[in-house]
Amino acid sequence: MGNDTARFIRHRAKLIRAGVLALAAVTVASGASAACRVDSVTLRGDWGQARFSVEVADDDGERAQGLMHRTSLPGSAGMLFIYDRPQRLSFWMRNTLIPLDLLFIDARGVVRNIHRNAIPLDESPLEGGSDALLAVLEINGGLSARMGITTGTQLRHPAFAGRNPAWPC
């Protein structure tokens, strides 16, 4: 690969990363007052706020399929896995072709653990680290670090209603 081509690829990658962050910022600005919806989550913390469009996986079949076999995921999108009761959660990347960040969330909607940049196709268990987890949010790998998302971040979504949510709808 020539120097010009390599420079172009690096420049394009920077523009794509900047676009993802800009899209998240626009989503935050327009979504801060948006009503709670099943197809989106809003996160807030010391780092700021962000909103993601989500597909919800709330039954055994949907949770088993997850984001397997997908070759891409839009920067402002994710998948929210919701369980019926708090429990210990463990994931793996079998048949998952893209790197993901997994945010493990308790019953009040608080991020308790983050597994960053899960390796595609890796079957090693990714443990949530607690037996009181109700949900997992999967977003593009590396995005949580770039945005500054940390443990303690609060997530707003109807799934946490009735559970004394940290950030109610």
Side-chain angles (χ1 to χ4, degrees):
M1 178 179 338
N3 284 340
D4 289 339
T5 303
R7 228 174 295 134
F8 173 78
I9 290 171
R10 282 193 304 275
H11 178 69
R12 181 126 171 113
K14 285 180 187 176
L15 289 175
I16 290 169
R17 281 192 300 273
V20 166
L21 294 177
L23 179 60
V26 168
T27 301
V28 167
S30 66
S33 63
C36 255
R37 296 174 31 160
V38 173
D39 64 348
S40 70
V41 297
T42 308
L43 289 83
R44 73 175 179 186
D46 294 340
W47 52 271
Q49 289 187 15
R51 191 175 78 175
F52 292 91
S53 297
V54 292
E55 295 175 55
V56 173
D58 59 1
D59 67 37
D60 290 340
E62 292 169 341
R63 288 189 292 257
Q65 179 64 34
L67 292 172
M68 286 203 259
H69 307 292
R70 305 224 188 150
T71 57
S72 66
L73 180 67
S76 62
M79 180 168 276
L80 182 63
F81 295 79
I82 303 170
Y83 294 82
D84 298 328
R85 59 179 171 68
Q87 58 193 281
R88 179 170 292 281
L89 297 175
S90 179
F91 279 54
W92 62 4
M93 296 290 286
R94 174 182 281 175
N95 298 321
T96 305
L97 307 175
I98 53 177
L100 297 171
D101 288 351
L102 287 77
L103 286 67
F104 292 89
I105 304 156
D106 70 16
R108 297 192 62 226
V110 178
V111 175
R112 294 297 172 197
N113 191 17
I114 302 174
H115 186 89
R116 300 182 197 278
N117 279 311
I119 301 166
L121 306 173
D122 186 6
E123 294 188 13
S124 302
L126 307 173
E127 301 287 337
S130 170
D131 60 357
L133 299 169
L134 186 71
V136 175
L137 175 63
E138 291 183 343
I139 58 176
N140 279 294
L143 188 55
S144 64
R146 287 193 301 275
M147 294 180 75
I149 298 171
T150 59
T151 57
T153 291
Q154 297 174 347
L155 188 129
R156 187 173 179 212
H157 186 272
F160 304 103
R163 296 180 180 274
N164 190 26
W167 188 14
C169 288

